[in-house]
Amino acid sequence: MERYYQPEIETASREQIKAWQDERLVTQVRHVWDNVPYYREKMREAGVTPDDIHGTEDLHKLPFLSKDDLRRAYPYGLVAVPLKDCVRIQSTSGTTGKRVVAFYTQADLDLWETCCARAIVAAGGTNEDVCQISYGYGLFTGGPGLNGGSHKVGCLTIPTSSGNTERQIMFIRDLNATILCCTPSYAAYLGESMKEMGLTPDEIPLKAGIFGAEAWSEEMRQSIQETLGIKAYDIYGLTELSGPGVAFECSAQSGMHINEDHFIAEVIDPDTGEVLPDGTQGELVFTSITKKAFPLIRYRTRDICVLTREKCSCGRTHVKMTKPRGRTDDMLIIRGVNVFPSQIETVLLNLGYPANYQILVDRVNNTDTLDVQVEMTPEMFTDNLGEISRRQKELVDSLRSMLGLTAKVTLVAPKSIVRSEGKAVRVIDKRKI
Ligand code: DLL
């Protein structure tokens, strides 16, 4: 039997969901107009005031908000409550190394964790479960969000954070972890490591996994499910909107229910901004209607997906989104970390390298690899191996502090990277996802 964390909300009638959205949208628009000069200005430019917004049918009148707006307003420009009412920030990297910083009141944290609790219960979680959280903790939202959700469900929570595979496996086995939360690539890696240790799926206590933060294919799902002997559920979210739990998969494992009592979803044509009907692929746009500290109105996620409102076998009534099928920008997600090629370019140019480089991304043994090939200038070119390895180390260190990720750096001779006649091909992503 399907279980829900908040049955009356998760299975509410469409009319009820619309009524919540209508009322909350009106209040939220008034809230940002009253408290955020940046929004007021944007709305004035678009010729709309809170008096024009009576419900979701008026949503299209409001201007879009983009990552550029967030950058321009950094750090406090979109905060809609006094800072003394905020209790937390979380953050993610931005296009120029400037970070996106999201603010939360205690009530915002509570609703975020509630969304994560819904995801855990949808994956079969109860207070009898032991939930190991192997997403990163810290500024990244994965660890903190699912940690809060796990507490709400009453699971015994193991906050291992990411990394240290041996210890992860030790805890899974010694403490009988039944639910694993981490990126799908890390889940696959953990699975392989356990297989190499000779463990069969029935010797692994896990029964479910909640995996997200990066794209993963159905094939990858099958392979993780087989190696670990679990059911693997997708979870979606972004820092700007809270973090994981904006949408989550249910027993049907065919797309993720968006928590529509907190977020209104639209799909638009990324070129024209026109709102597209359900079933059509386009860019996902969200309006957060309950968050108070950092409310986003019509935020363009750059994620490409399709929405469907077909009846789901799990009984939930909230709209479903497909797995994101790509992005409208050049953001790469490598081992769960968002990376923009422009950040890599900034590091290279700052250290005096020419803008001749290539970024090679692959997935080896289910782990993403990042290899940056950097051309030396003729002045730098040398056969002194000590000097080359000093330069390589300097690049690896600078990239790590810019991206929060370890890249492999290969220095190559001047003019050895093929020049392009049109747009330079900077990124070669060989992952099949
Ligand atoms: O990745 C939040 C999260 C943590 C989601 C843990 C799920 C689990 P950001 O670092 O801000 O937040 O990255 C957000 O990651 O716009 C998508 O492009 C991508 N993404 C997130 N979940 C999925 C998923 C977290 N399930 C960006 N499938 C989003 C594909 C995903 N892409």
Side-chain angles (χ1 to χ4, degrees):
M1 239 255 299
E2 188 80 26
R3 291 181 54 264
Y4 313 100
Y5 182 63
Q6 291 170 309
E8 68 294 350
I9 297 174
E10 294 175 63
T11 63
S13 68
R14 291 299 317 167
E15 295 72 41
Q16 176 63 73
I17 294 173
K18 178 163 186 321
W20 282 326
Q21 291 192 334
D22 286 341
E23 187 198 323
R24 291 172 187 182
L25 177 66
V26 170
T27 312
Q28 189 73 302
V29 169
R30 176 67 62 191
H31 173 58
V32 300
W33 173 273
D34 289 345
N35 296 298
V36 186
Y38 194 92
Y39 269 119
R40 207 154 52 228
E41 191 51 37
K42 263 189 99 86
M43 283 171 64
R44 279 209 182 105
E45 270 169 28
V48 49
T49 74
D51 293 335
D52 300 316
I53 308 299
H54 306 288
T56 44
E57 52 287 346
D58 297 321
L59 190 57
H60 68 98
K61 297 178 183 163
L62 292 160
F64 292 117
L65 195 75
S66 69
K67 210 166 196 148
D68 282 340
D69 287 302
L70 264 54
R71 212 168 46 223
R72 251 176 257 133
Y74 174 90
Y76 300 124
L78 289 170
V79 181
V81 298
L83 273 188
K84 68 175 173 45
D85 295 340
C86 297
V87 296
R88 173 92 67 80
I89 69 145
Q90 301 286 161
S91 170
T92 181
S93 53
T95 42
T96 56
K98 249 259 143 63
R99 292 181 161 261
V100 168
V101 178
F103 296 75
Y104 305 74
T105 62
Q106 185 55 51
D108 294 340
L109 287 181
D110 202 51
L111 74 87
W112 172 27
E113 293 172 0
T114 299
C115 289
C116 289
R118 288 182 193 170
I120 293 172
V121 173
T126 70
N127 58 4
E128 313 250 339
D129 279 295
V130 177
C131 185
Q132 182 153 321
I133 312 219
S134 316
Y135 284 112
Y137 280 65
L139 289 171
F140 180 58
T141 53
L146 281 144
N147 192 89
S150 174
H151 280 205
K152 280 197 184 287
V153 176
C155 303
L156 174 58
T157 310
I158 317 179
T160 45
S161 194
S162 51
N164 200 337
T165 304
E166 248 172 61
R167 191 178 61 191
Q168 301 276 358
I169 297 174
M170 182 190 83
F171 277 131
I172 291 176
R173 298 180 72 197
D174 293 355
L175 300 175
N176 282 312
T178 47
I179 301 179
L180 173 66
C181 303
C182 61
T183 57
S185 42
Y186 196 51
Y189 181 67
L190 281 173
E192 258 158 38
S193 307
M194 287 196 251
K195 201 169 176 179
E196 275 165 27
M197 290 166 65
L199 292 175
T200 57
D202 45 307
E203 289 169 307
I204 301 170
L206 294 171
K207 64 175 193 194
I210 303 177
F211 308 134
E214 64 184 1
W216 53 310
S217 59
E218 271 312 309
E219 291 71 31
M220 193 160 166
R221 186 203 308 259
Q222 292 311 325
S223 135
I224 295 174
Q225 294 196 142
E226 274 162 34
T227 343
L228 290 173
I230 60 170
K231 269 191 99 174
Y233 299 86
D234 204 350
I235 183 164
Y236 169 88
L238 49 161
T239 314
E240 296 90 315
L241 287 174
S242 59
V246 171
F248 61 92
E249 242 176 12
C250 60
S251 56
Q253 289 181 301
S254 61
M256 296 172 271
H257 291 280
I258 294 171
N259 284 306
E260 284 188 283
D261 51 327
H262 297 300
F263 306 102
I264 303 179
E266 299 170 276
V267 159
I268 62 160
D269 178 326
D271 298 323
T272 63
E274 179 202 352
V275 180
L276 301 173
D278 286 352
T280 317
Q281 176 164 301
E283 181 182 348
L284 194 53
V285 171
F286 280 111
T287 300
S288 49
I289 45 178
T290 45
K291 282 178 58 186
K292 287 296 169 215
F294 198 69
L296 297 189
I297 307 281
R298 300 197 90 198
Y299 181 63
R300 295 184 62 155
T301 62
R302 312 255 177 139
D303 289 319
I304 301 288
C305 82
V306 177
L307 296 179
T308 62
R309 264 168 241 271
E310 273 161 33
K311 208 166 180 322
C312 184
S313 58
C314 77
R316 286 181 185 76
T317 45
H318 294 226
V319 68
K320 273 168 49 170
M321 59 178 272
T322 57
K323 278 175 181 296
R325 294 172 177 177
R327 294 191 45 94
T328 61
D329 61 9
D330 57 355
M331 186 177 93
L332 298 161
I333 302 184
I334 300 172
R335 281 174 248 144
V337 178
N338 304 347
V339 173
F340 288 93
S342 58
Q343 290 176 291
I344 295 178
E345 187 167 308
T346 304
V347 169
L348 303 184
L349 297 184
N350 283 345
L351 291 174
Y353 292 86
N356 295 320
Y357 60 91
Q358 212 151 41
I359 300 167
L360 308 175
V361 187
D362 206 347
R363 192 165 273 180
V364 180
N365 293 332
N366 285 311
T367 302
D368 295 333
T369 58
L370 169 63
D371 186 353
V372 186
Q373 307 218 325
V374 187
E375 214 176 82
M376 288 179 281
T377 60
E379 299 73 50
M380 291 172 179
F381 193 48
T382 167
D383 52 9
N384 178 342
L385 291 181
E387 172 61 9
I388 292 188
S389 77
R390 185 198 65 77
R391 284 189 169 277
Q392 265 167 343
K393 184 172 177 313
E394 179 183 49
L395 280 163
V396 170
D397 290 345
S398 308
L399 286 168
R400 191 186 297 114
S401 71
M402 172 67 102
L403 310 173
L405 191 77
T406 307
K408 182 174 162 230
V409 171
T410 314
L411 284 172
V412 298
K415 299 234 159 27
S416 58
I417 288 181
V418 185
R419 303 295 192 262
S420 151
E421 293 186 351
K423 280 180 196 275
V425 182
R426 301 271 190 231
V427 180
I428 301 177
D429 192 342
K430 295 198 199 138
R431 295 174 295 183
K432 288 195 185 56
I433 34 182

